């Protein structure tokens, strides 16, 4: 699969208005989706700084794609397994950058 980038998606730089603690699927698929739609409709005009508050996991995939991503839903519909790109291969561009809290705090305390 080809990596996404700001140049490919045409990401508009917006002021950072949201500091989001956590990078989990629920936040990205539902909460961030609302911000993405509000930006598209001209009702918000803001980006998100995503803060990874725990040591577990990595943000490398976010960095590799300049914080651009897609969402895919998987589940059972009428007893049959389904995969749906939601909504229809929409590229999410509302995350401006990421921070790893533990590394930053450790560097400040050291």
């Amino acid at each position: 699969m080809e990596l996404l980038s700001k140049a490919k998606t045409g990401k508009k730089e917006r002021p950072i208005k949201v500091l989001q603690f956590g990078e989990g699927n629920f936040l990205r698929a539902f909460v961030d989706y609302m911000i993405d739609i509000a930006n598209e409709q001209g009702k918000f005009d803001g980006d998100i700084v995503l803060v990874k508050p725990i040591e577990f996991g990595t943000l490398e995939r976010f960095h590799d794609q300049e914080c651009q991503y897609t969402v895919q839903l998987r589940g059972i519909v009428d007893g049959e397994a389904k995969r749906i790109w939601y909504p229809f291969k929409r590229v999410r561009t509302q995350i401006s950058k990421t921070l790893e809290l533990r590394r930053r705090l450790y560097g400040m305390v050291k």
Side-chain angles (χ1 to χ4, degrees), residues 22-103:
E23 74 285 356
N25 292 336
F26 177 78
L27 287 170
R28 289 185 293 115
F30 296 101
V31 177
D32 295 354
Y33 170 72
M34 307 274 185
I35 292 171
D36 194 36
I37 294 298
N39 280 335
E40 184 179 272
Q41 294 175 353
K43 296 178 181 178
F44 184 65
D45 192 39
D47 274 350
I48 300 168
V49 171
L50 191 147
V51 178
K52 183 177 162 295
I54 58 174
E55 192 171 353
F56 176 78
T58 179
L59 294 174
E60 282 182 33
R61 288 187 177 175
F62 278 99
H63 297 157
D64 291 345
Q65 299 199 127
E66 299 179 330
C67 298
Q68 316 296 288
Y69 65 96
T70 57
V71 174
Q72 181 184 61
L73 297 181
R74 292 181 293 174
I76 307 291
V77 177
D78 296 327
E80 196 175 316
K82 297 279 184 181
R83 285 185 176 199
I84 303 166
W85 287 98
Y86 183 75
F88 311 110
K89 292 194 176 185
R90 179 185 190 91
V91 176
R92 306 298 173 87
T93 63
Q94 70 281 0
I95 294 179
S96 179
K97 61 182 173 179
T98 63
L99 301 172
E100 294 193 48
L101 189 60
R102 290 184 61 92
R103 288 184 185 175

